[in-house]
Amino acid sequence: MRELLSPAASTSNSTTQRPGSSATTSQHSEDSSLLKNVDCGTLEQSYDSTLEREFEVHDIGNLVEVGDLEPAFSFRKLLRFAGPGFAMSIAYLDPGNICSDLHCGAVAEYKLIWLLFLTHALGLYVQTLSARIGIVTGQNLAQHCHQQYRRSVRIPLWLICELAIIGSDIQESIGTAIALYLLFGVQIWAGILVAALLSYVILGIQRFGARKVEALFIAMIAIMCACFGVEVFMSSPDVREITKGLFIPRIPASATVQAVGIVGAVIMPHNLFLHSALVGTRRIKRAAHVRQASIREANFYTTLESAVALLFSFAINATIMIVFADIYSRGKAAKSVQLAEQHLPGLVEAAELLRGAFGDIGPLLWAIGLLSSGQSSTATGTMAGQYLMEGMMRLRVSPWLRLFISRSTSLVPTMLVGVLFTAHLDQFDEWLNVLQSLALPFALIPTLKLAQSSHVMSEFAVGSRWRAFGWLAAAVIIALNVYLLLPLIVDLASYGVVAACAAFVSLGMYLLFVYILIASKVE
């Protein structure tokens, strides 16, 4: 560890020059004599200011100072880096994930806990890659996509990722609206409007600095831990079955759809764009003599913080799955809501299940935890939309106008769903999880290609083993998506030749665009 973080180790191997350094031999001696009279701190501040303009993080408050290099692990230094990882982990706790957890608990009981853990481990891997892209290069993933892909590829890529954000926002806003309905009896459409207004308030805290909004997100995660954690202790689950569910991989035949849905619900494509931008709120030393060691230190603490944050995320998701597994395994569901075999409980019905199992305290804790989940994830989703719009499309407008545009883009379809399809919200939730899974390769592939490129990442490019693991994971996700689409295509084919052709052409275009992203060169 000391060798990894040591400035001495970095200076011997560092070959990276600052932008704007002299390229001619005749000026070398003159430049060297001038540099002797220039304060290194002044040069470092100038270089950091250039990166700030590239990163464009001025609208989320002043950069957070992380201090000088530490020769060994420092808990104080970890606290300075803490924040972006917890904000990122909120996407793993949105209402779509909560709904997926209760479905898995109802259908498979404790048997899918291992899969939930693996998806969080895969999430840590891809989030680490996206964060390192931002730390090493000083630019976020959306900005790199703008630079690397031509317009004919970049616009469809932006539209797909924007569509995924809209789908996620529908889940999150409706989750908040349901929580308000359970707490105060507010109608769904009115709850959606309240959720939109609250997201403006939360994001307005950005003006007071990144640490303030990060502290708010951490507080919301703590509320979720408390609410859902209390329900676990109230349920008295079977510890032996929990242990088997965590360490013995198995997927019941009746839970195949839920197992595939876990991947789409847990790993959100917009989260890769978000995390690569949020790490830019930390000011790290980029002077030539400490650059490599500083970046290594930032990578280490960012990865550690992300791992801690996702561990909390896994614990919260697991508690929800365990609570409903306990309710169904012990037959407590029959005391409250009689469900047909084909019907799974939604977020509202889940409250009634908890009321039957634990009394009035059950739905109250559920609603408070759901409100924290929906409102915090709505805010982070809007932040991701801002970074995506500005970075990939270079839309340069004021932060508040950009916030209004990105928030309004999601609000209209959310209101339509909340007003016209109130009775079918659970079905929409399942399809929106599928949408996230379908869109995931379009954020994952650029992340993998950038992270493995020595042109972009220099000596911090990912190694061959982790590169192979990343592409294997991408291949599995794409194969699962095709598996999900084939039954739908077969159903559409039954409506005639035109419908069959349209379905197969859509699948072909999907796979073609995946191939284009894979084949594109990164320079």
Side-chain angles (χ1 to χ4, degrees):
M1 171 61 74
R2 293 184 179 180
E3 293 179 359
L4 180 65
L5 302 180
S6 170
S10 66
T11 54
S12 62
N13 296 326
S14 178
T15 59
T16 304
Q17 296 180 348
R18 298 183 190 181
S21 61
S22 176
T24 60
T25 306
S26 60
Q27 294 179 341
H28 179 72
S29 58
E30 180 181 353
D31 290 343
S32 299
S33 62
L34 288 174
L35 285 174
K36 292 179 180 178
N37 299 320
V38 177
D39 181 38
C40 290
T42 303
L43 287 176
E44 184 176 326
Q45 286 182 347
S46 175
Y47 188 61
D48 286 348
S49 298
T50 302
L51 284 176
E52 285 182 40
R53 290 193 294 271
E54 290 180 2
F55 229 131
E56 297 178 357
V57 296
H58 51 275
D59 57 317
I60 56 174
N62 298 326
L63 296 184
V64 177
E65 297 289 346
V66 297
D68 296 327
L69 286 170
E70 299 283 353
F73 175 78
S74 169
F75 186 72
R76 180 178 297 178
K77 177 63 71 73
L78 176 62
L79 291 179
R80 291 171 182 168
F81 278 97
F86 282 94
M88 167 274 296
S89 70
I90 285 175
Y92 293 71
L93 296 167
D94 73 338
N97 278 288
I98 291 178
C99 193
S100 174
D101 295 335
L102 73 92
H103 287 173
C104 289
V107 175
E109 297 181 359
Y110 306 97
K111 298 180 180 67
L112 294 180
I113 298 178
W114 68 273
L115 184 58
L116 181 67
F117 179 80
L118 284 184
T119 54
H120 277 78
L122 176 60
L124 175 61
Y125 169 73
V126 297
Q127 296 295 163
T128 298
L129 293 185
S130 68
R132 291 191 176 195
I133 290 171
I135 292 170
V136 173
T137 67
Q139 290 185 306
N140 61 52
L141 180 59
Q143 291 171 324
H144 280 289
C145 287
H146 177 86
Q147 297 169 359
Q148 297 293 338
Y149 297 113
R150 59 185 184 273
R151 185 180 179 87
S152 59
V153 175
R154 187 171 67 246
I155 292 179
L157 180 62
W158 172 69
L159 290 174
I160 292 171
C161 294
E162 194 68 48
L163 183 62
I165 291 178
I166 292 173
S168 176
D169 192 71
I170 291 174
Q171 292 177 303
E172 294 154 358
S173 298
I174 290 179
T176 301
I178 290 175
L180 293 172
Y181 168 76
L182 293 173
L183 288 170
F184 309 110
V186 178
Q187 294 297 316
I188 297 298
W189 65 269
I192 293 172
L193 290 177
V194 172
L197 293 175
L198 288 176
S199 66
Y200 281 113
V201 173
I202 293 175
L203 293 173
I205 300 176
Q206 292 178 356
R207 298 182 61 185
F208 301 100
R211 298 293 274 179
K212 302 297 189 300
V213 71
E214 289 167 359
L216 181 60
F217 289 147
I218 293 174
M220 290 184 172
I221 293 174
I223 291 173
M224 285 184 267
C225 283
C227 292
F228 299 133
V230 168
E231 291 180 341
V232 167
F233 286 106
M234 293 173 64
S235 64
S236 301
D238 189 332
V239 177
R240 180 180 178 184
E241 288 298 320
I242 293 174
T243 305
K244 289 172 61 178
L246 180 60
F247 293 104
I248 302 178
R250 46 189 172 157
I251 299 178
S254 59
T256 303
V257 175
Q258 284 72 33
V260 175
I262 286 179
V263 178
V266 171
I267 305 176
M268 298 285 190
H270 69 265
N271 221 26
L272 301 181
F273 293 96
L274 176 66
H275 201 194
S276 67
L278 291 180
V279 294
T281 59
R282 268 52 184 175
R283 187 196 297 274
I284 63 175
K285 306 293 183 181
R286 294 186 182 270
H289 64 290
V290 295
R291 175 185 177 275
Q292 189 181 54
S294 295
I295 291 177
R296 287 190 184 278
E297 182 184 66
N299 285 339
F300 170 75
Y301 283 109
T302 298
T303 301
L304 181 58
E305 187 242 354
S306 299
V308 172
L310 288 181
L311 185 61
F312 276 98
S313 171
F314 166 72
I316 294 171
N317 281 292
T319 57
I320 298 170
M321 190 181 296
I322 289 169
V323 166
F324 286 94
D326 177 70
I327 289 176
Y328 275 83
S329 64
R330 301 193 182 198
K332 294 178 182 177
K335 299 179 182 179
S336 51
V337 179
Q338 295 293 336
L339 299 173
E341 185 177 353
Q342 298 83 359
H343 181 69
L344 293 173
L347 296 174
V348 176
E349 292 171 320
E352 293 303 315
L353 286 168
L354 293 169
R355 187 188 305 277
F358 310 127
D360 291 340
I361 189 65
L364 177 61
L365 292 172
W366 175 256
I368 295 174
L370 184 60
L371 180 62
S372 297
S373 165
Q375 200 53 63
S376 58
S377 57
T378 299
T380 55
T382 304
M383 291 171 65
Q386 291 178 259
Y387 290 121
L388 184 67
M389 184 182 299
E390 182 177 279
M392 196 175 293
M393 302 307 295
R394 287 291 194 264
L395 182 60
R396 298 184 180 276
V397 295
S398 66
W400 279 104
L401 180 58
R402 190 171 64 251
L403 170 61
F404 177 78
I405 293 172
S406 59
R407 193 70 192 88
S408 301
T409 302
S410 301
L411 181 60
V412 174
T414 304
M415 283 295 296
L416 291 175
V417 173
V419 173
L420 301 178
F421 303 100
T422 305
H424 305 283
L425 294 180
D426 295 334
Q427 289 85 341
F428 263 95
D429 188 75
E430 292 179 4
W431 280 107
L432 291 173
N433 282 340
V434 172
L435 172 63
Q436 299 300 321
S437 182
L438 291 174
L440 181 57
F442 302 110
L444 180 58
I445 292 173
T447 301
L448 291 174
K449 290 186 69 67
L450 288 167
Q452 73 182 27
S453 171
S454 58
H455 296 287
V456 175
M457 300 290 285
S458 63
E459 67 269 27
F460 297 98
V462 66
S464 57
R465 292 183 179 179
W466 287 111
R467 184 185 309 175
F469 173 78
W471 285 111
L472 177 62
V476 171
I477 291 172
I478 294 170
L480 287 175
N481 289 338
V482 174
Y483 171 80
L484 286 172
L485 289 174
L486 284 178
L488 179 61
I489 292 174
V490 172
D491 290 340
L492 290 175
S494 63
Y495 289 95
V497 177
V498 176
C501 291
F504 280 105
V505 168
S506 299
L507 177 61
M509 292 179 62
Y510 177 83
L511 295 176
L512 176 62
F513 196 54
V514 169
Y515 172 77
I516 290 174
L517 291 179
I518 295 175
S520 298
K521 293 183 179 180
V522 172
E523 299 177 352

